[in-house]
Amino acid sequence: MSAPSQTPAAAGAASNTPSSTAPSASTTNADASSAAAALKPIQVKLVLLGEAAVGKSSLVLRFVNNEFQENKEPTIGAAFLTQKCKLDDKIIKFEIWDTAGQERFHSLAPMYYRNAQAAVVVYDITKAASLDKAKSWVKELQRQANPNIVIALVGNKLDLAATSRAVPAEEASAYATEAGLLFAEASAKTGDNVMDVFTEIAKKIPLEQLLASRGRAGASGASGAGAAGRVDLNAGPGGRNAPQGQCGC
Amino acid sequence: MDEEYDVIVLGTGLTECILSGLLSVEGKKVLHMDRNDYYGGESASLNLTQLYRKFRPGQEPPSTFGRDRDWNVDLIPKFAMASGEFTNILYHTDVTRYLEFRQIAGSYVYRDARISKVPSNNTEAVSSPLMGIFEKRRAKKFFEFIQAYDFTNPATHQGLDLNTVPMTEVYKKFGLETGTQDFLGHALALHLDDAYLTQPAKETYERICLYMNSMARYGKSPYIYPLYGLGELPQGFARLSAIYGGTYMLSKKIDEVVYENGKVVGVKSEGETAKTKAVIGDPTYFSDKVKKAGQVVRAICILNHSIPNTADADSLQIVIPQNQVNRSHDIYVAAVSYAHNVSAKDYWVAIVSTLVETAKPEEELQPALALLGPIAEKFVDITDLYEPTTDGKAEGVFVTKSYDATSHFETVCQDVKDVYKRVTGNELKVENMVKKQEEGGAAE
């Protein structure tokens, strides 16, 4: 893991390379790179859920991209976006998965929220039906996802609250409390509360537990069940350099 | 959906999803539909409720099997060869980002009514209980020959040009017994029957190399398997397609494929027609364009113990070569367990399969079932295998093949390449197709 290179311009120019190299989003920026070099980031998979057009992608682009890079096009071909969050003495690296439009026709695959440690379920405060859809996603996560998943319910488009609010904050908040979710209203457009949502999630993730289970996963040599025997295919395909029809051994 | 697409794909099995992913990455506008409300079709992995609904309608799963969500039971048993073409496609499309893989812990072969580990190099051959002392020496020479063989260097050929000589000649040259031929041809080269013996040896040589290279990759076996079951694979490629702009619709009843002047022009679903120039679909969507090419029997067995004589392996493959049990086709056992997140704790799922040869398919599996110890529950599935009757170019309708009886995904890749070429006119080249994302797992 190399320290983040502080070159947002270059990162913006490289198409299809969504991994943000922007400095730490939430708390401190100034010496984020030196801190990052000293600390090993803890990777956390975070998934976005919610009805189409509630602003899921916008929230994440607000969180991930440098604020001054406004007109970034929606990323095509990105498996996920990443952003780091500094929390006390730890650095969390969010790996943020967007739905890629698969929620539009009820076609989001269960694989999507497999092993997610966090989920942001988004609704639109100007559309009452979008909260119902959010509730059904929460139910699905509680039934199918990792039992320790941290779920945040986020009412987006807070900037429109004065003119066209359709969901009272109290109603959504009461539901969130009852269902054990983090709750916030936010605006991807103005940036209001966006960073806070992710910081609150970071605080609530059981990091020690996560590290402990990954520590076990890393222990090799044990036979039978457990996490030994995992293989990392991202390191490269086997024998890919061996010419066709020749034994590489 | 009243739009125009470059390609409409019907059915979300693995073959169709890989094709959707590849075509989307190339910039084609893809619409992908499935009549089911889940991904995968025949290549889905089922939870307990779905499994019982399919095989035991009206019956509840026993409570001893635990939570529904812990189960992901495959219908078609296959493993990925660690150095095979399927792994290559996974890597070059970056689909490896969405999935986690684990080794299959052992590869076994049946000989003289017992199972032993498959030796895959000259060192292992020397210690294998499969052969006597003299046969071991001969096998060692054979492995040395395979490892040294270079098509461009006749000095390594020992008088055998593998492009032309049949495999029987190669066996004869090294004086290998028929029992040894059984495990070389069936457990290493993974031939399903003995037709290969009279064919040029090159293909068998390449298959043995694939096995050895895959074995060398991670050590315990040549196979790897995705956590949560094979059903994750089509979902991974569907996501690849979606992030490159592919549109996905599940629970879509297909009314008809629409033709004009003998060419496909669209697909009608629930009263709406999506326009297109090409349609790809699995055989279940085109019963009029396929023919039966065989029949497979598969028994999905749930066990509450590891398979006897495998040192408590959490997963394995057993090949029973046809000759050993007086058949024409091999029997395979593919077993995975809770270590792969496919079952509740301390359960194993073993799928026994073979090509049907008699009127009593289930009985044909008996030699393999007898190796498993007590079976807690068994679901038997007999499926016809279909293949397309035409290449589809005239109409612009391209039908994929059913999933065959082989134990790995190499033939699925062949079908993908074949359909890809029929659709696009080009050979598939996955290398550098996707700009790979910065190492997200670098922190690990």
Side-chain angles (χ1 to χ4, degrees), chain A residues 40 43 79-80 98 107 111 114 145 226 228-230 234 236 238 247, chain B residues 39 69 96 100-103 209 217 228 232 235 239 243 250 437 440 443:
Chain A
K40 196 172 155 183
Q43 203 154 320
F80 47 78
D98 204 342
S107 307
M111 178 213 71
R114 203 75 88 189
R230 297 265 173 106
N234 293 316
C247 266
Chain B
Y39 280 92
R69 57 186 280 172
T96 42
E100 266 192 271
F101 285 82
R102 192 181 162 89
Q103 280 191 71
C209 286
R217 185 98 197 266
Y228 302 100
E232 300 294 283
Q235 296 179 42
R239 179 165 168 82
I243 63 178
L250 298 182
Q437 200 160 335

PDB file of all heavy atoms in Angstrom, chain A residues 40 43 79-80 98 107 111 114 145 226 228-230 234 236 238 247, chain B residues 39 69 96 100-103 209 217 228 232 235 239 243 250 437 440 443:
ATOM      1  N   LYS A  40      -1.908   1.423   8.733  1.00  0.00           N
ATOM      2  CA  LYS A  40      -2.422   0.526   7.718  1.00  0.00           C
ATOM      3  C   LYS A  40      -3.937   0.726   7.662  1.00  0.00           C
ATOM      4  O   LYS A  40      -4.625   0.513   8.654  1.00  0.00           O
ATOM      5  CB  LYS A  40      -2.085  -0.894   8.149  1.00  0.00           C
ATOM      6  CG  LYS A  40      -2.204  -1.918   7.065  1.00  0.00           C
ATOM      7  CD  LYS A  40      -1.651  -3.231   7.606  1.00  0.00           C
ATOM      8  CE  LYS A  40      -2.265  -4.392   6.856  1.00  0.00           C
ATOM      9  NZ  LYS A  40      -1.825  -5.669   7.391  1.00  0.00           N
ATOM     10  N   GLN A  43      -9.858  -1.826   5.588  1.00  0.00           N
ATOM     11  CA  GLN A  43     -10.784  -1.782   4.465  1.00  0.00           C
ATOM     12  C   GLN A  43     -12.199  -2.167   4.870  1.00  0.00           C
ATOM     13  O   GLN A  43     -12.406  -3.152   5.567  1.00  0.00           O
ATOM     14  CB  GLN A  43     -10.287  -2.728   3.388  1.00  0.00           C
ATOM     15  CG  GLN A  43     -10.809  -2.364   2.039  1.00  0.00           C
ATOM     16  CD  GLN A  43      -9.865  -2.845   0.975  1.00  0.00           C
ATOM     17  OE1 GLN A  43      -8.640  -2.768   1.126  1.00  0.00           O
ATOM     18  NE2 GLN A  43     -10.414  -3.374  -0.098  1.00  0.00           N
ATOM     19  N   ALA A  79     -15.681  -0.473 -10.629  1.00  0.00           N
ATOM     20  CA  ALA A  79     -16.211  -1.527  -9.772  1.00  0.00           C
ATOM     21  C   ALA A  79     -16.702  -0.916  -8.472  1.00  0.00           C
ATOM     22  O   ALA A  79     -17.735  -1.271  -7.951  1.00  0.00           O
ATOM     23  CB  ALA A  79     -15.141  -2.564  -9.507  1.00  0.00           C
ATOM     24  N   PHE A  80     -15.924   0.036  -7.957  1.00  0.00           N
ATOM     25  CA  PHE A  80     -16.299   0.740  -6.735  1.00  0.00           C
ATOM     26  C   PHE A  80     -15.414   1.964  -6.594  1.00  0.00           C
ATOM     27  O   PHE A  80     -14.409   2.103  -7.282  1.00  0.00           O
ATOM     28  CB  PHE A  80     -16.166  -0.152  -5.502  1.00  0.00           C
ATOM     29  CG  PHE A  80     -14.871  -0.910  -5.439  1.00  0.00           C
ATOM     30  CD1 PHE A  80     -13.702  -0.281  -5.041  1.00  0.00           C
ATOM     31  CD2 PHE A  80     -14.820  -2.248  -5.813  1.00  0.00           C
ATOM     32  CE1 PHE A  80     -12.511  -0.963  -5.007  1.00  0.00           C
ATOM     33  CE2 PHE A  80     -13.618  -2.938  -5.789  1.00  0.00           C
ATOM     34  CZ  PHE A  80     -12.470  -2.294  -5.381  1.00  0.00           C
ATOM     35  N   ASP A  98     -21.586   1.180  -5.795  1.00  0.00           N
ATOM     36  CA  ASP A  98     -22.817   1.773  -6.303  1.00  0.00           C
ATOM     37  C   ASP A  98     -23.621   0.675  -7.022  1.00  0.00           C
ATOM     38  O   ASP A  98     -23.070  -0.334  -7.424  1.00  0.00           O
ATOM     39  CB  ASP A  98     -22.454   2.910  -7.274  1.00  0.00           C
ATOM     40  CG  ASP A  98     -23.580   3.930  -7.374  1.00  0.00           C
ATOM     41  OD1 ASP A  98     -24.722   3.604  -6.988  1.00  0.00           O
ATOM     42  OD2 ASP A  98     -23.313   5.043  -7.858  1.00  0.00           O
ATOM     43  N   SER A 107     -33.471  -5.665 -10.029  1.00  0.00           N
ATOM     44  CA  SER A 107     -32.530  -6.687 -10.473  1.00  0.00           C
ATOM     45  C   SER A 107     -31.175  -6.584  -9.786  1.00  0.00           C
ATOM     46  O   SER A 107     -30.148  -6.893 -10.371  1.00  0.00           O
ATOM     47  CB  SER A 107     -32.343  -6.591 -11.994  1.00  0.00           C
ATOM     48  OG  SER A 107     -33.590  -6.623 -12.631  1.00  0.00           O
ATOM     49  N   MET A 111     -25.234 -10.807  -4.439  1.00  0.00           N
ATOM     50  CA  MET A 111     -23.779 -10.693  -4.362  1.00  0.00           C
ATOM     51  C   MET A 111     -23.344  -9.283  -3.988  1.00  0.00           C
ATOM     52  O   MET A 111     -22.329  -9.082  -3.347  1.00  0.00           O
ATOM     53  CB  MET A 111     -23.177 -11.061  -5.718  1.00  0.00           C
ATOM     54  CG  MET A 111     -21.684 -10.950  -5.802  1.00  0.00           C
ATOM     55  SD  MET A 111     -21.140 -10.462  -7.448  1.00  0.00           S
ATOM     56  CE  MET A 111     -21.673  -8.781  -7.517  1.00  0.00           C
ATOM     57  N   ARG A 114     -23.152  -8.860  -0.281  1.00  0.00           N
ATOM     58  CA  ARG A 114     -22.399  -9.929   0.367  1.00  0.00           C
ATOM     59  C   ARG A 114     -21.203  -9.322   1.099  1.00  0.00           C
ATOM     60  O   ARG A 114     -20.468  -8.527   0.518  1.00  0.00           O
ATOM     61  CB  ARG A 114     -21.900 -10.847  -0.746  1.00  0.00           C
ATOM     62  CG  ARG A 114     -21.579 -12.225  -0.331  1.00  0.00           C
ATOM     63  CD  ARG A 114     -22.764 -13.083  -0.078  1.00  0.00           C
ATOM     64  NE  ARG A 114     -23.295 -13.802  -1.231  1.00  0.00           N
ATOM     65  CZ  ARG A 114     -24.465 -14.456  -1.173  1.00  0.00           C
ATOM     66  NH1 ARG A 114     -25.205 -14.426  -0.082  1.00  0.00           N
ATOM     67  NH2 ARG A 114     -24.890 -15.108  -2.222  1.00  0.00           N
ATOM     68  N   ALA A 145     -27.971  -9.921   4.818  1.00  0.00           N
ATOM     69  CA  ALA A 145     -26.581  -9.445   4.855  1.00  0.00           C
ATOM     70  C   ALA A 145     -25.872  -9.903   6.130  1.00  0.00           C
ATOM     71  O   ALA A 145     -26.464 -10.551   6.997  1.00  0.00           O
ATOM     72  CB  ALA A 145     -26.554  -7.933   4.729  1.00  0.00           C
ATOM     73  N   GLY A 226     -12.320 -22.460   8.452  1.00  0.00           N
ATOM     74  CA  GLY A 226     -11.546 -21.266   8.766  1.00  0.00           C
ATOM     75  C   GLY A 226     -11.219 -20.594   7.465  1.00  0.00           C
ATOM     76  O   GLY A 226     -11.664 -21.021   6.411  1.00  0.00           O
ATOM     77  N   ALA A 228      -8.232 -20.125   6.096  1.00  0.00           N
ATOM     78  CA  ALA A 228      -7.067 -20.563   5.344  1.00  0.00           C
ATOM     79  C   ALA A 228      -7.530 -21.166   4.034  1.00  0.00           C
ATOM     80  O   ALA A 228      -8.632 -21.673   3.926  1.00  0.00           O
ATOM     81  CB  ALA A 228      -6.296 -21.600   6.150  1.00  0.00           C
ATOM     82  N   GLY A 229      -6.691 -21.088   3.040  1.00  0.00           N
ATOM     83  CA  GLY A 229      -7.079 -21.658   1.755  1.00  0.00           C
ATOM     84  C   GLY A 229      -7.709 -20.644   0.833  1.00  0.00           C
ATOM     85  O   GLY A 229      -8.016 -20.953  -0.299  1.00  0.00           O
ATOM     86  N   ARG A 230      -7.888 -19.396   1.322  1.00  0.00           N
ATOM     87  CA  ARG A 230      -8.378 -18.335   0.433  1.00  0.00           C
ATOM     88  C   ARG A 230      -7.307 -18.053  -0.607  1.00  0.00           C
ATOM     89  O   ARG A 230      -6.126 -18.113  -0.318  1.00  0.00           O
ATOM     90  CB  ARG A 230      -8.624 -17.043   1.220  1.00  0.00           C
ATOM     91  CG  ARG A 230      -9.675 -17.148   2.279  1.00  0.00           C
ATOM     92  CD  ARG A 230     -11.017 -16.693   1.769  1.00  0.00           C
ATOM     93  NE  ARG A 230     -12.039 -16.961   2.762  1.00  0.00           N
ATOM     94  CZ  ARG A 230     -12.616 -16.019   3.508  1.00  0.00           C
ATOM     95  NH1 ARG A 230     -12.276 -14.760   3.360  1.00  0.00           N
ATOM     96  NH2 ARG A 230     -13.547 -16.336   4.380  1.00  0.00           N
ATOM     97  N   ASN A 234      -6.585 -11.514  -7.613  1.00  0.00           N
ATOM     98  CA  ASN A 234      -6.225 -10.201  -8.134  1.00  0.00           C
ATOM     99  C   ASN A 234      -4.725 -10.081  -8.348  1.00  0.00           C
ATOM    100  O   ASN A 234      -4.260  -9.189  -9.029  1.00  0.00           O
ATOM    101  CB  ASN A 234      -6.713  -9.106  -7.191  1.00  0.00           C
ATOM    102  CG  ASN A 234      -8.227  -9.068  -7.171  1.00  0.00           C
ATOM    103  OD1 ASN A 234      -8.862  -9.151  -8.211  1.00  0.00           O
ATOM    104  ND2 ASN A 234      -8.802  -8.986  -5.987  1.00  0.00           N
ATOM    105  N   GLY A 236      -3.091 -11.932 -10.103  1.00  0.00           N
ATOM    106  CA  GLY A 236      -2.788 -12.291 -11.487  1.00  0.00           C
ATOM    107  C   GLY A 236      -3.194 -13.716 -11.764  1.00  0.00           C
ATOM    108  O   GLY A 236      -3.228 -14.533 -10.850  1.00  0.00           O
ATOM    109  N   GLY A 238      -2.993 -17.497 -13.115  1.00  0.00           N
ATOM    110  CA  GLY A 238      -1.896 -18.455 -13.171  1.00  0.00           C
ATOM    111  C   GLY A 238      -1.526 -18.770 -14.599  1.00  0.00           C
ATOM    112  O   GLY A 238      -2.377 -18.859 -15.461  1.00  0.00           O
ATOM    113  N   CYS A 247       3.959 -26.599 -20.831  1.00  0.00           N
ATOM    114  CA  CYS A 247       3.902 -26.720 -19.393  1.00  0.00           C
ATOM    115  C   CYS A 247       4.781 -25.653 -18.758  1.00  0.00           C
ATOM    116  O   CYS A 247       5.942 -25.506 -19.119  1.00  0.00           O
ATOM    117  CB  CYS A 247       4.370 -28.092 -18.963  1.00  0.00           C
ATOM    118  SG  CYS A 247       3.019 -29.228 -18.772  1.00  0.00           S
TER     119      CYS A 247
ATOM    120  N   TYR B  39     -30.972 -14.341 -10.306  1.00  0.00           N
ATOM    121  CA  TYR B  39     -29.923 -14.516 -11.307  1.00  0.00           C
ATOM    122  C   TYR B  39     -29.482 -15.978 -11.389  1.00  0.00           C
ATOM    123  O   TYR B  39     -29.526 -16.694 -10.405  1.00  0.00           O
ATOM    124  CB  TYR B  39     -28.685 -13.688 -10.929  1.00  0.00           C
ATOM    125  CG  TYR B  39     -28.815 -12.224 -11.279  1.00  0.00           C
ATOM    126  CD1 TYR B  39     -29.312 -11.315 -10.355  1.00  0.00           C
ATOM    127  CD2 TYR B  39     -28.430 -11.761 -12.525  1.00  0.00           C
ATOM    128  CE1 TYR B  39     -29.425  -9.967 -10.671  1.00  0.00           C
ATOM    129  CE2 TYR B  39     -28.539 -10.420 -12.851  1.00  0.00           C
ATOM    130  CZ  TYR B  39     -29.034  -9.531 -11.927  1.00  0.00           C
ATOM    131  OH  TYR B  39     -29.144  -8.208 -12.252  1.00  0.00           O
ATOM    132  N   ARG B  69     -30.415 -18.886   5.137  1.00  0.00           N
ATOM    133  CA  ARG B  69     -29.418 -18.018   4.518  1.00  0.00           C
ATOM    134  C   ARG B  69     -28.019 -18.618   4.497  1.00  0.00           C
ATOM    135  O   ARG B  69     -27.150 -18.145   3.779  1.00  0.00           O
ATOM    136  CB  ARG B  69     -29.379 -16.675   5.240  1.00  0.00           C
ATOM    137  CG  ARG B  69     -29.092 -16.854   6.723  1.00  0.00           C
ATOM    138  CD  ARG B  69     -29.186 -15.554   7.466  1.00  0.00           C
ATOM    139  NE  ARG B  69     -27.994 -14.765   7.298  1.00  0.00           N
ATOM    140  CZ  ARG B  69     -27.865 -13.521   7.716  1.00  0.00           C
ATOM    141  NH1 ARG B  69     -28.877 -12.926   8.303  1.00  0.00           N
ATOM    142  NH2 ARG B  69     -26.751 -12.861   7.559  1.00  0.00           N
ATOM    143  N   THR B  96     -12.841 -10.546 -10.497  1.00  0.00           N
ATOM    144  CA  THR B  96     -12.218 -11.017  -9.261  1.00  0.00           C
ATOM    145  C   THR B  96     -12.408 -10.025  -8.114  1.00  0.00           C
ATOM    146  O   THR B  96     -12.286 -10.387  -6.957  1.00  0.00           O
ATOM    147  CB  THR B  96     -10.707 -11.224  -9.473  1.00  0.00           C
ATOM    148  OG1 THR B  96     -10.205 -10.131 -10.251  1.00  0.00           O
ATOM    149  CG2 THR B  96     -10.440 -12.500 -10.225  1.00  0.00           C
ATOM    150  N   GLU B 100     -14.752 -13.772  -3.798  1.00  0.00           N
ATOM    151  CA  GLU B 100     -13.625 -14.332  -3.074  1.00  0.00           C
ATOM    152  C   GLU B 100     -13.538 -15.807  -3.394  1.00  0.00           C
ATOM    153  O   GLU B 100     -14.551 -16.502  -3.422  1.00  0.00           O
ATOM    154  CB  GLU B 100     -13.835 -14.167  -1.578  1.00  0.00           C
ATOM    155  CG  GLU B 100     -13.206 -12.931  -1.007  1.00  0.00           C
ATOM    156  CD  GLU B 100     -13.212 -12.999   0.501  1.00  0.00           C
ATOM    157  OE1 GLU B 100     -14.207 -12.554   1.097  1.00  0.00           O
ATOM    158  OE2 GLU B 100     -12.236 -13.504   1.077  1.00  0.00           O
ATOM    159  N   PHE B 101     -12.339 -16.280  -3.609  1.00  0.00           N
ATOM    160  CA  PHE B 101     -12.164 -17.680  -3.971  1.00  0.00           C
ATOM    161  C   PHE B 101     -11.387 -18.426  -2.904  1.00  0.00           C
ATOM    162  O   PHE B 101     -10.607 -17.859  -2.148  1.00  0.00           O
ATOM    163  CB  PHE B 101     -11.434 -17.799  -5.307  1.00  0.00           C
ATOM    164  CG  PHE B 101     -12.309 -17.468  -6.476  1.00  0.00           C
ATOM    165  CD1 PHE B 101     -12.515 -16.144  -6.841  1.00  0.00           C
ATOM    166  CD2 PHE B 101     -12.948 -18.462  -7.183  1.00  0.00           C
ATOM    167  CE1 PHE B 101     -13.338 -15.828  -7.910  1.00  0.00           C
ATOM    168  CE2 PHE B 101     -13.765 -18.154  -8.247  1.00  0.00           C
ATOM    169  CZ  PHE B 101     -13.964 -16.834  -8.606  1.00  0.00           C
ATOM    170  N   ARG B 102     -11.616 -19.716  -2.882  1.00  0.00           N
ATOM    171  CA  ARG B 102     -10.943 -20.578  -1.949  1.00  0.00           C
ATOM    172  C   ARG B 102     -10.512 -21.843  -2.690  1.00  0.00           C
ATOM    173  O   ARG B 102     -11.181 -22.268  -3.629  1.00  0.00           O
ATOM    174  CB  ARG B 102     -11.949 -20.932  -0.845  1.00  0.00           C
ATOM    175  CG  ARG B 102     -11.363 -21.580   0.354  1.00  0.00           C
ATOM    176  CD  ARG B 102     -12.476 -21.901   1.346  1.00  0.00           C
ATOM    177  NE  ARG B 102     -11.967 -22.888   2.262  1.00  0.00           N
ATOM    178  CZ  ARG B 102     -11.333 -22.586   3.391  1.00  0.00           C
ATOM    179  NH1 ARG B 102     -11.234 -21.351   3.779  1.00  0.00           N
ATOM    180  NH2 ARG B 102     -10.845 -23.527   4.140  1.00  0.00           N
ATOM    181  N   GLN B 103      -9.416 -22.423  -2.248  1.00  0.00           N
ATOM    182  CA  GLN B 103      -8.967 -23.660  -2.884  1.00  0.00           C
ATOM    183  C   GLN B 103      -9.913 -24.807  -2.611  1.00  0.00           C
ATOM    184  O   GLN B 103     -10.533 -24.865  -1.559  1.00  0.00           O
ATOM    185  CB  GLN B 103      -7.637 -24.074  -2.274  1.00  0.00           C
ATOM    186  CG  GLN B 103      -6.446 -23.366  -2.780  1.00  0.00           C
ATOM    187  CD  GLN B 103      -5.212 -24.088  -2.286  1.00  0.00           C
ATOM    188  OE1 GLN B 103      -4.893 -25.179  -2.729  1.00  0.00           O
ATOM    189  NE2 GLN B 103      -4.528 -23.472  -1.352  1.00  0.00           N
ATOM    190  N   CYS B 209      -1.073 -30.613 -18.946  1.00  0.00           N
ATOM    191  CA  CYS B 209      -0.337 -29.391 -18.591  1.00  0.00           C
ATOM    192  C   CYS B 209      -1.234 -28.423 -17.812  1.00  0.00           C
ATOM    193  O   CYS B 209      -0.803 -27.828 -16.827  1.00  0.00           O
ATOM    194  CB  CYS B 209       0.188 -28.687 -19.832  1.00  0.00           C
ATOM    195  SG  CYS B 209       1.579 -29.533 -20.569  1.00  0.00           S
ATOM    196  N   ARG B 217      -0.197 -23.856  -8.891  1.00  0.00           N
ATOM    197  CA  ARG B 217      -0.558 -22.491  -8.495  1.00  0.00           C
ATOM    198  C   ARG B 217      -0.783 -22.350  -6.993  1.00  0.00           C
ATOM    199  O   ARG B 217      -0.234 -21.471  -6.358  1.00  0.00           O
ATOM    200  CB  ARG B 217      -1.827 -22.100  -9.264  1.00  0.00           C
ATOM    201  CG  ARG B 217      -2.264 -20.677  -9.069  1.00  0.00           C
ATOM    202  CD  ARG B 217      -1.819 -19.781 -10.197  1.00  0.00           C
ATOM    203  NE  ARG B 217      -1.887 -18.384  -9.803  1.00  0.00           N
ATOM    204  CZ  ARG B 217      -2.915 -17.599 -10.027  1.00  0.00           C
ATOM    205  NH1 ARG B 217      -3.959 -18.044 -10.693  1.00  0.00           N
ATOM    206  NH2 ARG B 217      -2.904 -16.347  -9.617  1.00  0.00           N
ATOM    207  N   TYR B 228     -19.707 -18.680  -1.186  1.00  0.00           N
ATOM    208  CA  TYR B 228     -21.162 -18.524  -1.376  1.00  0.00           C
ATOM    209  C   TYR B 228     -21.696 -19.232  -2.620  1.00  0.00           C
ATOM    210  O   TYR B 228     -22.838 -19.035  -3.004  1.00  0.00           O
ATOM    211  CB  TYR B 228     -21.592 -17.047  -1.396  1.00  0.00           C
ATOM    212  CG  TYR B 228     -21.218 -16.308  -0.140  1.00  0.00           C
ATOM    213  CD1 TYR B 228     -20.095 -15.487  -0.123  1.00  0.00           C
ATOM    214  CD2 TYR B 228     -21.959 -16.460   1.030  1.00  0.00           C
ATOM    215  CE1 TYR B 228     -19.717 -14.823   1.042  1.00  0.00           C
ATOM    216  CE2 TYR B 228     -21.600 -15.804   2.190  1.00  0.00           C
ATOM    217  CZ  TYR B 228     -20.473 -14.983   2.191  1.00  0.00           C
ATOM    218  OH  TYR B 228     -20.104 -14.329   3.345  1.00  0.00           O
ATOM    219  N   GLU B 232     -22.658 -17.049  -7.516  1.00  0.00           N
ATOM    220  CA  GLU B 232     -22.043 -15.725  -7.458  1.00  0.00           C
ATOM    221  C   GLU B 232     -21.422 -15.333  -8.805  1.00  0.00           C
ATOM    222  O   GLU B 232     -21.269 -14.153  -9.098  1.00  0.00           O
ATOM    223  CB  GLU B 232     -20.936 -15.694  -6.397  1.00  0.00           C
ATOM    224  CG  GLU B 232     -21.388 -16.009  -4.991  1.00  0.00           C
ATOM    225  CD  GLU B 232     -22.315 -14.958  -4.424  1.00  0.00           C
ATOM    226  OE1 GLU B 232     -21.849 -13.891  -4.020  1.00  0.00           O
ATOM    227  OE2 GLU B 232     -23.539 -15.226  -4.398  1.00  0.00           O
ATOM    228  N   GLN B 235     -23.683 -13.496 -11.273  1.00  0.00           N
ATOM    229  CA  GLN B 235     -23.964 -12.178 -10.684  1.00  0.00           C
ATOM    230  C   GLN B 235     -22.780 -11.235 -10.852  1.00  0.00           C
ATOM    231  O   GLN B 235     -22.942 -10.036 -11.091  1.00  0.00           O
ATOM    232  CB  GLN B 235     -24.296 -12.316  -9.198  1.00  0.00           C
ATOM    233  CG  GLN B 235     -25.557 -13.109  -8.927  1.00  0.00           C
ATOM    234  CD  GLN B 235     -25.830 -13.234  -7.432  1.00  0.00           C
ATOM    235  OE1 GLN B 235     -25.682 -12.281  -6.678  1.00  0.00           O
ATOM    236  NE2 GLN B 235     -26.224 -14.404  -7.004  1.00  0.00           N
ATOM    237  N   ARG B 239     -22.878  -7.772 -12.967  1.00  0.00           N
ATOM    238  CA  ARG B 239     -22.466  -6.468 -12.446  1.00  0.00           C
ATOM    239  C   ARG B 239     -21.447  -5.801 -13.377  1.00  0.00           C
ATOM    240  O   ARG B 239     -21.516  -4.598 -13.620  1.00  0.00           O
ATOM    241  CB  ARG B 239     -21.897  -6.604 -11.032  1.00  0.00           C
ATOM    242  CG  ARG B 239     -21.440  -5.262 -10.472  1.00  0.00           C
ATOM    243  CD  ARG B 239     -21.205  -5.293  -8.986  1.00  0.00           C
ATOM    244  NE  ARG B 239     -20.517  -4.080  -8.563  1.00  0.00           N
ATOM    245  CZ  ARG B 239     -21.106  -2.911  -8.319  1.00  0.00           C
ATOM    246  NH1 ARG B 239     -22.408  -2.808  -8.433  1.00  0.00           N
ATOM    247  NH2 ARG B 239     -20.400  -1.860  -7.961  1.00  0.00           N
ATOM    248  N   ILE B 243     -22.055  -2.087 -14.834  1.00  0.00           N
ATOM    249  CA  ILE B 243     -21.211  -0.906 -14.640  1.00  0.00           C
ATOM    250  C   ILE B 243     -20.691  -0.362 -15.971  1.00  0.00           C
ATOM    251  O   ILE B 243     -20.256   0.768 -16.046  1.00  0.00           O
ATOM    252  CB  ILE B 243     -20.055  -1.114 -13.630  1.00  0.00           C
ATOM    253  CG1 ILE B 243     -19.091  -2.172 -14.091  1.00  0.00           C
ATOM    254  CG2 ILE B 243     -20.589  -1.434 -12.249  1.00  0.00           C
ATOM    255  CD1 ILE B 243     -17.922  -2.363 -13.146  1.00  0.00           C
ATOM    256  N   LEU B 250     -35.101  -8.580 -14.233  1.00  0.00           N
ATOM    257  CA  LEU B 250     -35.483  -9.932 -13.812  1.00  0.00           C
ATOM    258  C   LEU B 250     -37.006 -10.027 -13.840  1.00  0.00           C
ATOM    259  O   LEU B 250     -37.707  -9.032 -14.038  1.00  0.00           O
ATOM    260  CB  LEU B 250     -34.949 -10.226 -12.405  1.00  0.00           C
ATOM    261  CG  LEU B 250     -33.433 -10.202 -12.236  1.00  0.00           C
ATOM    262  CD1 LEU B 250     -33.064 -10.567 -10.803  1.00  0.00           C
ATOM    263  CD2 LEU B 250     -32.737 -11.147 -13.200  1.00  0.00           C
ATOM    264  N   GLN B 437      -8.663  -1.757 -12.055  1.00  0.00           N
ATOM    265  CA  GLN B 437      -8.739  -0.751 -11.005  1.00  0.00           C
ATOM    266  C   GLN B 437      -7.533  -0.869 -10.070  1.00  0.00           C
ATOM    267  O   GLN B 437      -6.997  -1.953  -9.868  1.00  0.00           O
ATOM    268  CB  GLN B 437     -10.026  -0.950 -10.210  1.00  0.00           C
ATOM    269  CG  GLN B 437     -10.430   0.273  -9.436  1.00  0.00           C
ATOM    270  CD  GLN B 437     -11.910   0.215  -9.063  1.00  0.00           C
ATOM    271  OE1 GLN B 437     -12.694  -0.444  -9.723  1.00  0.00           O
ATOM    272  NE2 GLN B 437     -12.265   0.900  -8.016  1.00  0.00           N
ATOM    273  N   GLY B 440      -7.383  -2.421  -4.761  1.00  0.00           N
ATOM    274  CA  GLY B 440      -8.226  -2.034  -3.633  1.00  0.00           C
ATOM    275  C   GLY B 440      -7.887  -2.815  -2.384  1.00  0.00           C
ATOM    276  O   GLY B 440      -8.150  -2.391  -1.280  1.00  0.00           O
ATOM    277  N   ALA B 443      -4.365  -3.063   1.257  1.00  0.00           N
ATOM    278  CA  ALA B 443      -4.189  -2.949   2.703  1.00  0.00           C
ATOM    279  C   ALA B 443      -4.117  -4.313   3.368  1.00  0.00           C
ATOM    280  O   ALA B 443      -3.645  -4.436   4.483  1.00  0.00           O
ATOM    281  CB  ALA B 443      -5.340  -2.153   3.294  1.00  0.00           C
TER     282      ALA B 443
END
